[in-house]
Amino acid sequence: MKKVLMLAMAGVMALSITACGGKSSGDGDGKVYKIATDASYAPMESMDKDKIVGFDVDFFDAVMKQAGLNYKLSNTGWDPMLETVKKGDYDAGLSSVSITDERKQTYDFSIPYFESTNMIIVKEGSDIKNATDLKGKKVAVQGSTTADTLMSGIMGATNSDLKKFKSNTLAFQELDKNGVDAAVADIAIVREYAKNNPDKKFVTIEDKQNFGVEYYGVLFPKGSELKAKLDPAIKTIIENGKYAEIYKKWFGEAPNTDALLSAK
Amino acid sequence: MDAIIQVRNLSKSFGTNAVLQDINVDIQPSEVVVVIGPSGSGKSTFLRCLNLLEQPNGGEIVINGQSLMDKKTSITEIRSEVGMVFQQFNLFPHKRVIDNITLAPILVRKWPEEKARAKAMELLDKVGLAEKAEAYPPSLSGGQAQRVAIARALAMEPKIMLFDEPTSALDPEMVGEVLAVMQQLAREGMTMVVVTHEMGFAREVGDRVLFMEQGYVVEEGPPAEVFGSPKQERTRAFLSKVL
Amino acid sequence: MLGGFNFDIIGEYLPLLLKGALLTIGISVASIFLGSLLGLVVGFGKMSRRWFLHYPAVCYVNFFRGTPLYVQILMVHFGLVYAVLGRTNSIVAAITALSLNSAAYSAEIYRAGIQSIDKGQTEAAHSLGMNQSQTMRHIILPQAIKRMIPAFGNEFITLLKDSSLIAIVAAPEIMYWANAMNGQYMRIWEPYLTAALIYFILTYSLNRLLVYIERKV
């Protein structure tokens, strides 16, 4: 009798061990993290046919490899990303999200991983020299970005001369077709657009006074445990040169990693 | 006196279906010609060719000296002289009875409104419906509607009146009032071509009967002859079925 | 706050949403009017037997009914309006795109309405000597229009809701300000439920107006 029981127990234990197995790497944690993005923001994240590509994509891949975690990146769009990450339906948002105090009230952020600022773009021959010149003019931005927030501060959030578009592409189109006098967007985006349209004779203007430095962070739901896992991985990537490698690939120059590491 | 309607070798097909084969008819002024025959014989099509509601494929029609085949002939002119009364009345439901009657004289003959109104009331009186002038067609009985339709056609002062089975859609008790109006018209000397199944009318009022079958005029002659002693076997066969 | 529903931000944006509603109404009315007129022309073109009137009308209807209004708005705003005015104008673009689109649907409503009138009506008119345009004007159209009212009612209500798409080119109408509210405060339900309510009030009013008109005609 005892022998049968022992055999049965052994059998049950063997079964339960095999049931536990699954695709894993590093931690043995089989979980696949769901990451949301708005892939309409070249060169940070955009669609290349049916794949999501960009600086953020390569950067995040390196981070997750460093942390030994599995993930799946989905192009959900900006608003859905904000909503699903807030609720925790998605584990993180990776979408050139600038770290702001307002957003910190609703979300957690990783340590800063990218330095950015906003930039003005106008047509050749424009008399606009800085952001304050934009008062009284027509300006296009992508809605819900820091460019939107900054220009709302300067021009008034309810000013219908500040035209908020669903994407930067539409905002730039509006500038191209003389619907506005200027557009304001992330420096990386503006540079990419100007690079791709050399014949259109655009002029880019930096305004360090009005447009402060911003840092991108990975977006987490409040109280996320993923943050603790990724922050050290991000730090490592930046320190060991992998970050610089990716940065050079996408932007053709070396990043300012000191500023990044000492940023708050 | 020249025939007011002259038809020579009239033919008409709908697609591959030859509905009129070779029609030759002369109709004299003030003559009342009744056209009878089985359905599908082409009687209605023949009638509708006379005011160009159907476009003939071949042959010749001359009305009042004008050729309908001649491109220079004004269709409006022809239709002003040839009135038509339909089986389904076709009154304009959104206009009052009086306006149904005055519309064409005002638009086509360019009459002033008072003249048209006076004529309309005169005609309504004639068909016995003066009190219905302000009514709308949907409120009329079938017999009343058809009498209004006759008045409407007469308002254009046509020389010829065509009737396409005018009583076929009426309840039996109303057939008489319409036939009475048609009989009066005939007495007044109107040239009439009537497609009908009302053999009594044909016999009493018709000057000539045309029997049509499969696109041909099989037999024609005065009613007494065609009904009494038909020459063709086919005429006999048809009559035995309907009389 | 009621279960997390933030009425304050609704209050802040309400004046803009109402201004947006006025713009929506204005754009919709203009587009309905222009679209109905253009639709009559296209409708008659489609009914015509002359090939040079018929085929362009067929292509027009197929194109504007067969492609997304979203795309049409972008093409009109960045293409047509720019080509004509030298710069974009979201309100001109909105009215143009909505009118062109509505005309295609209106053309079909006219065609169906006119062709639903019994042939006997035309035959009676012709037999009395009336020509095509007299017949159309006095006999066919008055009867047909009455039948077309429910279908046009549908079309107008659809157009009013479709006008929300012009937010894509930053026309400051209802949906645009709802998006702005969403962007500024990162809330979904407050802006979009409010917008939906405003649209509902507008379409409901339009519906009652159409019921009144249908009874009067």
Side-chain angles (χ1 to χ4, degrees), chain B residues 48 51 53 76 79-80 82 84 86 90-95 103-104 107-108 110 152-153 156, chain C residues 118-131 134-135 137-143:
Chain B
R48 288 156 64 88
N51 69 351
L53 279 187
T76 308
R79 287 175 173 167
S80 302
V82 180
M84 188 169 222
F86 299 86
N90 291 338
L91 290 181
F92 307 135
H94 60 300
K95 290 188 176 299
L103 185 66
L107 285 180
V108 181
K110 310 272 193 272
R152 180 178 68 174
M156 289 293 285
Chain C
D118 190 61
K119 273 204 165 335
Q121 292 290 296
T122 308
E123 288 184 350
H126 284 173
S127 75
L128 289 164
M130 287 164 68
N131 63 27
Q134 287 167 332
T135 306
R137 199 178 140 228
H138 294 275
I139 306 302
I140 306 296
L141 275 180
Q143 294 184 62

Side-chain angles (χ1 to χ4, degrees), chain A residues 79 82-83 86 102-103 106-107 123 144 157-160 162-166 170 173-174 176-179, chain C residues 13 16 74 77-78 82 86-88 90 167-170 172 176-177 179-180 182-184 186 188-189 192:
Chain A
D79 286 321
L82 290 177
E83 192 65 15
K86 178 163 72 177
E102 189 159 20
R103 287 178 181 154
T106 324
Y107 301 90
K123 283 194 154 178
S144 315
T158 56
N159 186 346
S160 56
L162 175 60
K163 300 196 184 185
K164 304 170 211 243
F165 287 87
K166 279 269 165 222
L170 287 173
Q173 265 285 54
E174 188 75 355
D176 186 37
K177 299 284 190 281
N178 301 326
Chain C
Y13 267 87
L16 289 160
L74 288 174
H77 180 78
F78 288 119
Y82 172 69
R87 57 181 192 86
T88 59
S90 59
I168 188 80
V169 293
Y176 176 81
W177 290 119
N179 287 336
N182 161 258
Q184 186 175 2
M186 293 190 289
I188 292 209
W189 301 113
Y192 295 119

Side-chain angles (χ1 to χ4, degrees), chain B residues 13 69 88 92 116 126 130-132 148 154 159 186 191 230:
Chain B
S13 302
M69 306 326 190
Q88 301 296 339
F92 307 135
K126 186 182 166 119
E131 76 278 9
K132 291 287 183 186
V148 170
L154 289 174
K159 304 246 179 1
T191 312

Side-chain angles (χ1 to χ4, degrees), chain C residues 35-47 53 57 107 110:
Chain C
S36 307
L37 275 169
L38 181 59
L40 190 59
V41 174
V42 176
F44 274 114
K46 202 160 181 242
M47 287 187 277
L53 291 176
Y110 285 121

Side-chain angles (χ1 to χ4, degrees), chain B residues 142-224:
Chain B
Q144 291 170 330
Q146 193 63 300
R147 284 186 277 152
V148 170
I150 295 174
R152 180 178 68 174
L154 289 174
M156 289 293 285
E157 297 182 337
K159 304 246 179 1
I160 300 164
M161 282 286 278
L162 307 174
F163 293 82
D164 191 354
E165 300 202 34
T167 57
S168 297
L170 294 176
D171 289 336
E173 64 269 19
M174 294 190 242
V175 169
E177 67 201 53
V178 175
L179 292 181
V181 170
M182 289 167 69
Q183 186 160 22
Q184 161 134 29
L185 261 184
R187 250 185 262 129
E188 289 168 3
M190 175 64 75
T191 312
M192 294 162 64
V193 184
V194 183
V195 172
T196 187
H197 299 300
E198 293 292 325
M199 302 306 167
F201 176 85
R203 246 203 281 249
E204 296 233 2
V205 187
D207 297 315
R208 192 154 43 120
V209 172
L210 262 52
F211 170 64
M212 281 184 71
E213 201 188 52
Q214 291 184 344
Y216 290 98
V217 177
V218 171
E219 183 158 352
E220 67 174 287

Side-chain angles (χ1 to χ4, degrees), chain C residues 53-79:
Chain C
L53 291 176
H54 179 79
Y55 284 112
V58 170
C59 293
Y60 181 96
V61 172
N62 287 344
F63 175 76
F64 280 101
R65 288 202 314 179
T67 55
L69 178 58
Y70 187 89
V71 172
Q72 292 166 19
I73 291 173
L74 288 174
M75 282 168 58
V76 168
H77 180 78
F78 288 119

Side-chain angles (χ1 to χ4, degrees), chain B residues 108-125:
Chain B
V108 181
R109 291 217 185 271
K110 310 272 193 272
W111 284 4
E113 208 185 309
E114 312 85 58
K115 181 176 178 193
R117 281 209 71 137
K119 180 78 185 180
M121 288 311 298
E122 178 197 315
L123 287 168
L124 278 175
D125 210 34

Side-chain angles (χ1 to χ4, degrees), chain A:
Chain A
M1 195 58 207
K2 225 174 166 185
K3 244 200 222 158
V4 176
L5 265 167
M6 292 297 279
L7 265 169
M9 281 225 289
V12 171
M13 288 211 309
L15 270 168
S16 51
I17 289 174
T18 52
C20 270
K23 217 169 35 153
S24 68
S25 67
D27 270 6
D29 185 333
K31 178 173 163 128
V32 177
Y33 287 95
K34 287 164 61 177
I35 316 296
T37 186
D38 175 26
S40 62
Y41 214 65
M44 301 301 289
E45 51 268 330
S46 62
M47 299 302 293
D48 181 355
K49 299 182 230 337
D50 61 342
K51 276 177 26 161
I52 308 176
V53 299
F55 172 86
D56 269 355
V57 179
D58 289 349
F59 160 76
F60 194 75
D61 195 58
V63 170
M64 291 302 263
K65 274 209 178 56
Q66 178 69 30
L69 301 172
N70 291 316
Y71 72 100
K72 182 165 159 49
L73 183 62
S74 306
N75 180 14
T76 61
W78 182 261
D79 286 321
M81 173 188 72
L82 290 177
E83 192 65 15
T84 51
V85 170
K86 178 163 72 177
K87 292 224 275 292
D89 292 342
Y90 272 73
D91 301 300
L94 173 76
S95 209
S96 312
V97 188
S98 298
I99 303 172
T100 67
D101 289 330
E102 189 159 20
R103 287 178 181 154
K104 274 194 185 155
Q105 289 176 23
T106 324
Y107 301 90
D108 278 350
F109 279 98
S110 68
I111 58 171
Y113 74 86
F114 192 84
E115 184 185 315
S116 175
T117 183
N118 280 299
M119 196 174 214
I120 302 172
I121 180 169
V122 295
K123 283 194 154 178
E124 214 173 58
S126 166
D127 57 355
I128 293 171
K129 293 282 170 278
N130 56 47
T132 24
D133 284 347
L134 292 172
K135 255 203 273 232
K137 295 267 196 285
K138 295 202 171 94
V139 179
V141 295
Q142 175 173 325
S144 315
T145 56
T146 50
D148 182 1
T149 317
L150 283 166
M151 289 316 301
S152 293
I154 295 176
M155 294 171 69
T158 56
N159 186 346
S160 56
D161 277 346
L162 175 60
K163 300 196 184 185
K164 304 170 211 243
F165 287 87
K166 279 269 165 222
S167 73
N168 277 317
T169 319
L170 287 173
F172 294 149
Q173 265 285 54
E174 188 75 355
L175 172 66
D176 186 37
K177 299 284 190 281
N178 301 326
V180 290
D181 305 300
V184 178
D186 258 70
I187 189 169
I189 314 299
V190 172
R191 285 223 176 101
E192 182 81 3
Y193 181 69
K195 186 173 79 179
N196 287 334
N197 295 283
D199 51 318
K200 293 241 170 97
K201 300 209 185 6
F202 286 122
V203 171
T204 59
I205 302 171
E206 280 192 59
D207 184 343
K208 294 210 160 69
Q209 255 202 309
N210 284 301
F211 298 154
V213 167
E214 302 170 8
Y215 293 102
Y216 294 167
V218 179
L219 196 70
F220 298 111
K222 266 234 176 282
S224 161
E225 37 99 47
L226 188 54
K227 173 179 162 69
K229 298 201 171 108
L230 292 193
D231 277 349
I234 295 174
K235 188 153 185 283
T236 310
I237 300 278
I238 297 176
E239 284 172 342
N240 72 8
K242 184 83 184 138
Y243 182 89
E245 187 189 311
I246 301 172
Y247 196 96
K248 204 146 180 198
K249 169 184 168 193
W250 286 95
F251 300 110
E253 54 186 32
N256 184 353
T257 47
D258 294 328
L260 202 54
L261 287 169
S262 57
K264 281 272 136 240

